[in-house]
Amino acid sequence: MTRLKNSLRDLIKVLIVFTVCTCVFYMALRMVHEEYERQHRYDPPGGTAIKVYQPLEQPWTDRLSIFFRLGE
């Protein structure tokens, strides 16, 4: 009987430690996420930046063949 009590007590201790560690890890992930959410990733560039991408007008068949060839 005492062996069962000790095993049950150890199991409860492990579950409590696991739950606490999981909660701490979750809160740390939330803090990191909030920190990255505050950064403005898509601000317009400053200075003398210029736009370098100009899409070419291609027939849809050419675009489809590129899609199948490259798998993109």
Side-chain angles (χ1 to χ4, degrees), residues 1 9-10 13 20 22 25 33 36 39 43 54 58 61-63 66 68-69:
M1 185 71 173
R9 186 175 296 144
D10 289 343
K13 285 180 187 179
V20 169
T22 302
F25 182 70
H33 176 73
Y36 279 107
Q39 292 180 356
D43 285 344
Q54 296 176 351
Q58 296 176 334
T61 54
D62 289 344
R63 293 181 65 190
I66 291 171
F68 284 129
R69 208 169 349 128

Side-chain angles (χ1 to χ4, degrees), residues 51-67:
K51 186 174 184 175
V52 295
Y53 174 74
Q54 296 176 351
L56 302 173
E57 292 295 325
Q58 296 176 334
W60 68 272
T61 54
D62 289 344
R63 293 181 65 190
L64 187 63
S65 70
I66 291 171
F67 174 78

Side-chain angles (χ1 to χ4, degrees), residues 45-51:
T48 59
I50 60 172
K51 186 174 184 175

